[in-house]
Amino acid sequence: MAARFKIKRKGIGEMLRMPGMQAEMLRRAEVIKGIAAATSPVDEGGPHPGHYKDSWESDSTARGGRRRDRAVAYVRNTSSYGRWVEYGNGTPSAPARHVLLNAAEIGGRD
């Protein structure tokens, strides 16, 4: 006789929000944050050398995602020019570095 399985959406939702799931998402975000900080460019001749590198932060919540129904973690750079480092400004003198994208690709494997 074949096994039967009946899904309970409420139970799946509880599993996606449980503290262990939130802790795992934060652990993964911390790995990505570490890689992003380690690979961040530093402008030694700039007015604030190392500011971009020191501006990485991560946090997590049990109510994230599009429907606010699952544990998620976020990694972001709080420097005012972080987006220009990540995406560039369209000129050859300031190319896109994709620091967070590359860190997520590397750290997401762990």
Side-chain angles (χ1 to χ4, degrees):
M1 185 166 144
R4 298 190 73 200
F5 175 77
K6 185 174 181 182
I7 192 167
K8 293 188 178 182
R9 293 188 187 276
K10 183 179 177 184
I12 299 277
E14 289 174 7
M15 179 189 72
L16 291 174
R17 288 185 302 274
M18 62 192 270
M21 188 69 76
Q22 186 176 351
E24 176 60 17
M25 294 295 106
L26 184 58
R27 184 195 70 79
R28 290 174 183 246
E30 289 292 330
V31 169
I32 292 169
K33 180 179 95 168
I35 294 168
T39 59
S40 292
V42 176
D43 184 10
E44 298 293 339
H48 306 290
H51 176 70
Y52 176 76
K53 183 176 188 149
D54 295 335
S55 296
W56 290 103
E57 65 178 33
S58 62
D59 64 342
S60 67
T61 180
R63 292 289 183 170
R66 189 170 65 192
R67 296 186 200 166
R68 306 282 184 231
D69 62 347
R70 63 195 64 216
V72 297
Y74 301 98
V75 179
R76 67 181 65 86
N77 190 290
T78 59
S79 68
S80 60
Y81 51 88
R83 74 183 318 181
W84 305 117
V85 176
E86 184 71 17
Y87 300 113
N89 67 3
T91 64
S93 63
R97 301 289 181 140
H98 301 298
V99 176
L100 184 57
L101 175 66
N102 295 333
E105 286 179 350
I106 296 167
R109 298 179 198 151
D110 186 19

